[in-house]
Amino acid sequence: MSRPNKRLSAAPQELVDRSRPIHFEFEGRKIEAYEGDTVSSALSAAGVEIHSRSFKYHRPRGLLCVAGRCPNCLMTVDGTPNVRACTASVRDGMQVITQNAWPSTERDFVSVLDRLDRFLPVGFYYKALHKPKFLWELARPIVRRVAGLGSIDVDSDGGPTSNHTNRHTDVAVIGGGPAGMLAASAAADSGADVTLIDDQTLPGGHLLTDIREYFDVPDGLGLSTTTGHEIAAELRERVLGHQRISVLSSSSAFGMYQDNLLAIQTGRDSLNLRATHVVMATGAFEVPHQFHNNDLPGVMLASGALRLARLWGISPGKTAIVTTNDDSGYWAALNLSDAGIVVSAILDSRVVPDSDLLTLVRTAGIEVLAGQTINSAQGTKRVKSIATTSANGETRNIECDLICMSGAWQGASGLLLQSSSAGVDHDGIVRSGVPENVTIAGGVGGVHDLGALLSQAGLAGKRAAAKVGFGVPDDLPAIEAELSVFKSPTTSSAESSASPITQTKKTFVCFCEDVSTKDIAVAVEEGFGDVQTLKRYTTSTMGPCQGKMCHKAFVEVAALNLGLSVKDAGATTSRPPAQPVALGTLAGQNHMPRKRSPLHYVHEQLGAEIVELGPWLRPHNYGSPQDEVLAVRERVGIIDVSTLGKLDIRGPDAGKLLDRVYTHRFSNLREGHIRYGLLCSEAGSIMDDGTVTRMADDHYFVTTTTGNVDAIEDWFNWWMAGTGMDVYVTNVTAAWGAINVAGPRARETLAKLTDVDLSPKAFDYMRSATGEVAGVPSIFLRIGFVGETGWEVHFPAEYAEHLWNTVMEAGSEYGISPFGLEAQRILRLEKGHIIVNQDTDAVTDPLDAGMRWAVRFDKPDFIGRAGIAATRDRESKQSLVGFIADDGFVPEDGLSIVTNGQPVGRVTSSRFSPTRGVGFGLAWVPIEMAEDGTRIFIQSGRNEWPATVITEPIYDPEGSRLRA
Amino acid sequence: MAFLLNCPNCGARNVYDFRFGGEVLTRPAPDAGNEELTEYLYFKENMDGEQREWWNHSMGCRKWFIATRNTHSNEVLGTHWPDEPVTGTGQ
């Protein structure tokens, strides 16, 4: 089978390497391509003209912009939907399929919708399928299947995760056209570090396809060539070879935020680039003209046709018509003609075109039809002819298979408008109000003439460098004075619409969403009187191109129908993303922090079941929590408590600080003594608890709950800030490891390893000491969270494994057992010790929690005093009490306490006690139920389980074991 | 929200490196009544305009400082240590 090959003869500026053929699959068909081809260029070479089917009517669509801006070439590439085929480089073996068509884009049966357009009015969803009500339920599955673009492979693992990086740059230049490249090199020459961001594979912008000779290029720029694409190559070498310029090709800046934070998509990855100064050189682009059937394949932007011909050597058509309203159309026609495409005529809406150019194109054999405009294009799957009207009303048909739309430039200012309120008209050209940390260069500021553009861009680069302190900052006023000469044209381009606007149902303003000029007219008739509401109602400018192809035409058509000038009609709002971004790129990697105790690998070796507790990984149990509880109660247990928050507080005002933040008093704590500490918020709610040990006159050692220490550190520092207190708070959580050795044989176990006298007389409960354990300098805290004789031993984290193993060995003769979180929870619950945030919530105050003993109202002030005092002065309504359930029932944490079926309280912690053989726990109950022996009822499912309130711990209420 | 904040210790950093501490308020006296306490705790000024506010450089030096920020334009007019006098606009 012979395949059409539309390749032109090789041109010097083309991007394909014809000596390196590669192959890929398109709809199961093998396509030949060359290295350097894009999917679209290769498909065009193979004769594929329909690249997609339109969103609503399933009309055939061909290449339009060929620059990654319009929606006409969205395809599914290797399973990724909505890839712009015109910027996707081909790879050997890649799989490409089309979207939004059944069975294929060539023959799409859904295109019947194109003939049913009267059933698909503007605002379809607001009007149709609502009455009768059941209709929507029936229609929904069908609408859902037909609507939308592309489909996601739900079985896919999403591919590799994208990376997020953060970078800084002195100057970011956005846009790799001549203005961007020159501005970048000028800024870098002045000494600034520059990042150049270009969304194309090769920097050069419109000059890449330009074969025109420029004789007016300013001398001072050091350019040795005069032909457009050669100038591009020269500038490109300059930026790529510059040691202070980092060039990001195929990267689009999709978001711009305060203080010049740029969100950039580069491949699958995203880069957050903070620029001290931004040069906006995003350029200006041709947009479609408004005539009937302006979306037929074969209707292209002139720049798109030139890109296809010049960059990939593909003939976009045989006989072309160029339609324009300015000189750029003439240059496009000459360029196409030079590439071997027959240009039969230029339709110039102006009556008197430039005379020099006229001679030039006529010499090339191109007819100029002055004062003529295009009304419609004819054809089914490809343009066959056009109908034109002259100034005096004569109509004419001209045969052609390619329409190149030129002129009608729209500035690419969407990105700038995200972060500033620059003065931009509907044509996107920036005319005023540019922020101080941004400089405009080139087409986006309305400067199109290459000589002027290069001069302006050079100055823009120097200004950017001077603004960040490079070059000669004193020159800034002079540079800015020179720059101010390059004023963008103030004439709004309404009068220069490339063709009068045709209002038909198939004159498309918005190619993304299939919104026609007629749709906008109907919406205005229906009462939408403003571009912002018209935008939302018609969804024009809201598709994948985000207004890049349509904003100008949309406002012009709206203004026409509203009877306003385009200036008064205004512009819609730009928001991120300026270019579509994959959600996976935004999501990036999962950066959930994980903290491991210095004993983590010991626990793994012991076969512990590890659970997540905040950022920490902790052993939940080592086999049987019940056995672990009994080991602690009957013999000796060891638990890793390295995750406890640890703060080292030093300085003459250390006691003063602690008195201020804690409810208790610590300035009078004696050296070597420990006191329980309760932290409250300013409202008087419990925030955290822990122990405070006085190590020396000006030195305290504080522990906090696991996971809370960073917040507590901030809290301490906050209440010190600006007070002039002479005290340092150091977070030593990671520096110190800790174990708790507890049980009747704990003393004997530890005594084997230390010289510190642990005898009851020498080492009382709530006392501390320092000394070595197994040769490791340690702090001993005799406290009893689990309710047995025991010591919390803190030591430098590096020695953790040694210490643990040595203690285990020493305790082996007494039957030592490691115990995990679950055993610790049971043990502390048997003692009625609370866990903050488990047994308390955001509004629990210490008095209701039965901890009046920890609150010193005799202190003149402490954080939370006023709040707690307010509770003291009113009746308590609820109380935290213990309970024992009947019949061995063990309620789940969080179950309700009910009276007559109504919830009156809740269980906060509940377990089975292996020591007592009962189900028990802690619960909040109304104050009148908070007495020993009160019967309460716990609701579980439909059942109510009786339980009895207890006000003392179920284990060792006198604390004799603890103090033994 | 992507602005830069000038930590008096470290210099200009991305706002994501900081923790916001709310408006700078005057704490009521310890024996303040319930009404005054409630006013202080729950009824913030939430002003539209220049506001003095607490910031903590949580991903940096972890120090608290005060910033004057225009809540309307989000412009940060200045930052300083809590015991320094307000220097007005500018750094």
Side-chain angles (χ1 to χ4, degrees):
Chain A
M1 167 186 154
S2 76
R3 291 196 185 85
N5 190 337
K6 296 194 170 186
R7 298 279 178 189
L8 299 160
S9 49
Q13 62 277 68
E14 73 181 21
L15 304 175
V16 288
D17 182 348
R18 300 196 190 203
S19 67
R20 304 183 73 172
I22 51 177
H23 300 93
F24 68 98
E25 263 192 38
F26 173 71
E27 301 273 61
R29 176 182 150 195
K30 192 172 166 191
I31 301 283
E32 291 169 3
Y34 296 122
E35 193 147 306
D37 258 324
T38 63
V39 171
S40 285
S41 68
L43 290 178
S44 298
V48 176
E49 286 179 349
I50 301 172
H51 275 60
S52 67
R53 286 281 172 166
S54 72
F55 179 69
K56 186 170 165 186
Y57 299 121
H58 286 248
R59 286 168 66 88
R61 293 272 163 86
L63 291 178
L64 176 66
C65 77
V66 204
R69 305 172 66 78
C70 78
N72 279 17
C73 64
L74 295 178
M75 294 185 188
T76 299
V77 176
D78 287 337
T80 305
N82 298 327
V83 173
R84 281 179 161 82
C86 75
T87 52
S89 300
V90 291
R91 290 183 309 274
D92 228 354
M94 80 197 301
Q95 302 279 332
V96 180
I97 54 170
T98 56
Q99 317 180 146
N100 205 40
W102 186 80
S104 73
T105 43
E106 279 302 319
R107 293 185 64 225
D108 178 8
F109 293 132
V110 194
S111 67
V112 67
L113 290 172
D114 195 24
R115 268 172 260 159
L116 299 176
D117 56 13
R118 80 194 124 106
F119 300 112
L120 293 164
V122 61
F124 171 73
Y125 284 108
Y126 303 112
K127 292 171 180 164
L129 308 174
H130 287 287
K131 283 178 188 168
K133 220 172 173 181
F134 67 84
L135 196 58
W136 176 240
E137 288 306 316
L138 294 177
R140 189 171 58 190
I142 303 163
V143 170
R144 289 270 155 88
R145 200 159 62 235
V146 176
L149 283 180
S151 55
I152 292 167
D153 177 6
V154 290
D155 299 322
S156 161
D157 66 353
T161 27
S162 77
N163 288 310
H164 284 194
T165 44
N166 295 282
R167 272 205 249 162
H168 290 261
T169 188
D170 293 330
V171 176
V173 179
I174 304 167
M181 291 193 290
L182 197 74
S185 64
D189 285 343
S190 302
D193 281 325
V194 178
T195 307
L196 178 68
I197 301 126
D198 188 31
D199 59 2
Q200 303 295 318
T201 49
L202 193 69
H206 72 271
L207 281 191
L208 286 175
T209 59
D210 196 352
I211 55 156
R212 187 174 152 191
E213 293 272 332
Y214 291 94
F215 299 108
D216 58 344
V217 171
D219 292 333
L221 303 172
L223 291 167
S224 60
T225 46
T226 51
T227 309
H229 68 90
E230 286 173 358
I231 294 174
E234 218 181 321
L235 288 172
R236 183 163 61 240
E237 260 174 53
R238 206 183 276 188
V239 294
L240 290 173
H242 205 298
Q243 60 171 4
R244 275 193 291 273
I245 301 177
S246 153
V247 179
L248 301 176
S249 290
S250 303
S251 302
S252 51
F254 63 84
M256 184 168 179
Y257 306 89
Q258 202 179 346
D259 289 338
N260 285 343
L261 180 69
L262 295 164
I264 296 162
Q265 169 174 234
T266 152
R268 290 186 65 92
D269 296 337
S270 126
L271 165 68
N272 299 322
L273 182 67
R274 178 76 71 171
T276 314
H277 200 91
V278 168
V279 175
M280 202 48 87
T282 40
F285 294 85
E286 289 161 335
V287 288
H289 301 176
Q290 301 304 308
F291 54 89
H292 186 70
N293 280 342
N294 60 344
D295 64 329
L296 272 180
V299 182
M300 296 183 78
L301 300 180
S303 54
L306 280 172
R307 286 172 67 82
L308 212 49
R310 291 295 180 185
L311 301 184
W312 294 285
I314 292 154
S315 171
K318 291 186 194 76
T319 316
I321 295 280
V322 175
T323 163
T324 190
N325 63 344
D326 66 12
D327 292 351
S328 59
Y330 290 71
W331 292 110
L334 287 166
N335 197 338
L336 285 166
S337 172
D338 181 83
I341 293 135
V342 177
V343 181
S344 60
I346 298 172
L347 296 182
D348 188 341
S349 62
R350 298 173 300 179
V351 180
V352 192
D354 182 286
S355 60
D356 285 350
L357 270 174
L358 214 54
T359 322
L360 216 55
V361 295
R362 281 187 177 148
T363 314
I366 301 168
E367 190 188 357
V368 174
L369 303 172
Q372 298 246 9
T373 52
I374 184 166
N375 284 338
S376 68
Q378 282 99 38
T380 48
K381 287 185 176 176
R382 173 92 195 188
V383 176
K384 289 202 169 69
S385 66
I386 60 163
T388 68
T389 316
S390 69
N392 54 20
E394 282 174 41
T395 58
R396 183 176 159 184
N397 276 313
I398 310 171
E399 290 195 1
C400 64
D401 69 343
L402 177 66
I403 301 170
C404 294
M405 302 178 286
S406 185
W409 300 89
Q410 181 178 310
S413 52
L415 192 65
L416 176 66
L417 291 174
Q418 288 176 14
S419 74
S420 78
S421 49
V424 173
D425 288 335
H426 78 294
D427 60 2
I429 305 294
V430 182
R431 295 193 167 81
S432 62
V434 179
E436 268 305 300
N437 54 3
V438 176
T439 305
I440 298 295
V444 70
V447 181
H448 297 300
D449 173 72
L450 188 68
L453 179 145
L454 292 174
S455 304
Q456 185 219 23
L459 287 165
K462 280 187 190 162
R463 175 179 191 258
K467 287 293 246 182
V468 296
F470 291 97
V472 187
D474 290 350
D475 291 350
L476 194 57
I479 295 170
E480 288 183 342
E482 273 190 79
L483 258 179
S484 66
V485 176
F486 299 96
K487 285 241 165 62
S488 44
T490 45
T491 50
S492 197
S493 33
E495 54 196 300
S496 59
S497 265
S499 55
I501 293 160
T502 316
Q503 305 222 49
T504 71
K505 285 221 74 163
K506 299 295 150 62
T507 300
F508 288 96
V509 173
C510 173
F511 283 45
C512 297
E513 308 269 318
D514 271 355
V515 183
S516 69
T517 47
K518 184 78 181 170
D519 288 331
I520 296 172
V522 169
V524 169
E525 246 171 65
E526 289 177 8
F528 292 90
D530 171 273
V531 289
Q532 297 285 8
T533 53
L534 274 171
K535 163 184 158 176
R536 285 156 179 79
Y537 184 60
T538 63
T539 68
S540 189
T541 77
M542 290 169 71
C545 94
Q546 287 288 292
K548 288 190 198 73
M549 288 290 117
C550 55
H551 186 264
K552 181 169 180 284
F554 167 65
V555 177
E556 282 168 6
V557 175
L560 181 74
N561 286 290
L562 290 166
L564 296 170
S565 72
V566 285
K567 190 105 191 150
D568 292 336
T572 62
T573 311
S574 280
R575 294 185 184 87
Q579 189 76 359
V581 192
L583 290 176
T585 297
L586 294 177
Q589 286 183 332
N590 182 358
H591 285 301
M592 179 72 184
R594 279 280 166 272
K595 293 183 179 177
R596 288 175 175 80
S597 121
L599 290 165
H600 181 78
Y601 299 99
V602 171
H603 304 316
E604 281 192 347
Q605 274 167 14
L606 288 167
E609 185 194 335
I610 306 286
V611 292
E612 294 176 9
L613 198 77
W616 289 99
L617 296 176
R618 297 196 65 180
H620 180 267
N621 64 75
Y622 299 84
S624 163
Q626 306 281 317
D627 290 349
E628 291 162 26
V629 167
L630 292 174
V632 175
R633 291 280 180 250
E634 291 162 7
R635 306 190 303 273
V636 53
I638 175 172
I639 183 171
D640 175 13
V641 290
S642 303
T643 59
L644 282 174
K646 304 171 209 82
L647 297 173
D648 188 79
I649 318 273
R650 285 179 205 243
D653 294 325
K656 196 171 149 191
L657 170 68
L658 296 175
D659 281 353
R660 182 164 162 83
V661 291
Y662 280 101
T663 57
H664 233 316
R665 195 192 295 277
F666 292 99
S667 52
N668 67 352
L669 186 67
R670 281 188 279 162
E671 271 178 46
H673 284 225
I674 305 169
R675 199 167 275 168
Y676 176 78
L678 191 63
L679 282 173
C680 286
S681 70
E682 285 197 271
S685 312
I686 295 175
M687 270 173 53
D688 197 67
D689 68 350
T691 59
V692 177
T693 306
R694 189 156 202 170
M695 306 294 291
D697 187 42
D698 60 351
H699 183 194
Y700 291 80
F701 182 68
V702 168
T703 62
T704 75
T705 59
T706 295
N708 234 357
V709 65
D710 293 345
I712 301 305
E713 183 196 354
D714 284 354
W715 183 251
F716 283 14
N717 281 322
W718 198 0
W719 291 111
M720 273 162 57
T723 61
M725 274 190 225
D726 188 2
V727 45
Y728 288 89
V729 175
T730 311
N731 189 340
V732 293
T733 303
W736 291 84
I739 53 171
N740 183 15
V741 183
R745 313 301 291 268
R747 181 175 286 120
E748 289 157 276
T749 303
L750 283 173
K752 288 163 78 174
L753 305 171
T754 182
D755 293 336
V756 176
D757 186 354
L758 302 177
S759 65
K761 275 188 188 148
F763 208 137
D764 208 353
Y765 180 62
M766 294 304 263
R767 297 289 185 274
S768 77
T770 53
E772 289 189 354
V773 181
V776 179
S778 305
I779 304 170
F780 288 78
L781 306 180
R782 187 170 171 200
I783 50 185
F785 190 49
V786 297
E788 297 293 339
T789 303
W791 284 267
E792 207 170 87
V793 183
H794 293 255
F795 45 84
E798 297 86 329
Y799 300 110
E801 292 193 1
H802 161 72
L803 208 87
W804 174 280
N805 292 333
T806 314
V807 173
M808 284 290 282
E809 211 178 292
S812 63
E813 64 173 294
Y814 309 114
I816 194 168
S817 164
F819 63 106
L821 271 183
E822 179 60 17
Q824 182 181 245
R825 291 205 154 199
I826 299 168
L827 289 161
R828 66 91 198 178
L829 196 57
E830 287 180 337
K831 282 293 294 175
H833 289 155
I834 66 156
I835 294 179
V836 171
N837 290 331
Q838 166 78 28
D839 303 302
T840 68
D841 61 28
V843 294
T844 304
D845 83 60
L847 305 186
D848 286 356
M851 299 170 85
R852 180 180 277 265
W853 51 270
V855 182
R856 298 305 298 258
F857 282 112
D858 57 344
K859 282 198 290 183
D861 189 17
F862 60 86
I863 305 307
R865 189 185 196 281
I868 305 169
T871 322
R872 179 190 53 184
D873 299 341
R874 62 164 168 76
E875 288 273 297
S876 261
K877 291 197 180 71
Q878 55 169 359
S879 184
L880 185 64
V881 296
F883 68 85
I884 294 176
D886 290 10
D887 312 323
F889 175 63
V890 184
E892 284 167 56
D893 294 353
L895 288 184
S896 293
I897 313 283
V898 291
T899 300
N900 301 326
Q902 294 300 308
V904 294
R906 70 195 157 86
V907 174
T908 61
S909 297
S910 174
R911 291 293 187 273
F912 177 77
S913 165
T915 316
R916 293 274 307 265
V918 292
F920 77 110
L922 288 172
W924 282 101
V925 295
I927 198 79
E928 63 273 14
M929 295 186 183
E931 272 174 43
D932 252 328
T934 309
R935 296 290 280 168
I936 57 172
F937 296 90
I938 299 165
Q939 189 171 44
S940 174
R942 292 213 184 89
N943 299 323
E944 290 182 9
W945 295 82
T948 306
V949 168
I950 50 170
T951 54
E952 286 199 322
I954 66 164
Y955 181 76
D956 186 26
E958 306 82 28
S960 56
R961 292 181 67 93
L962 188 63
R963 293 164 203 278
Chain B
M1 290 278 277
F3 59 99
L4 294 171
L5 201 54
N6 196 48
C7 169
N9 191 56
C10 307
R13 294 290 187 277
N14 194 324
V15 70
Y16 294 119
D17 289 3
F18 297 86
R19 176 187 153 190
F20 181 58
E23 300 167 13
V24 174
L25 299 167
T26 310
R27 213 171 147 244
D31 56 352
N34 220 345
E35 199 167 322
E36 199 186 331
L37 181 70
T38 306
E39 182 78 21
Y40 164 72
L41 288 173
Y42 305 112
F43 294 87
K44 308 293 182 189
E45 284 292 317
N46 197 20
M47 66 182 303
D48 177 13
E50 282 184 25
Q51 171 173 284
R52 295 182 70 230
E53 50 198 34
W54 285 103
W55 287 88
N56 179 258
H57 195 187
S58 52
M59 306 257 184
C61 63
R62 304 191 62 93
K63 292 197 186 306
W64 286 96
F65 62 93
I66 289 170
T68 309
R69 182 176 63 104
N70 186 317
T71 59
H72 191 89
S73 65
N74 214 22
E75 188 189 356
V76 180
L77 303 163
T79 54
H80 60 88
W81 295 122
D83 50 356
E84 282 172 359
V86 185
T87 48
T89 58
Q91 303 287 337

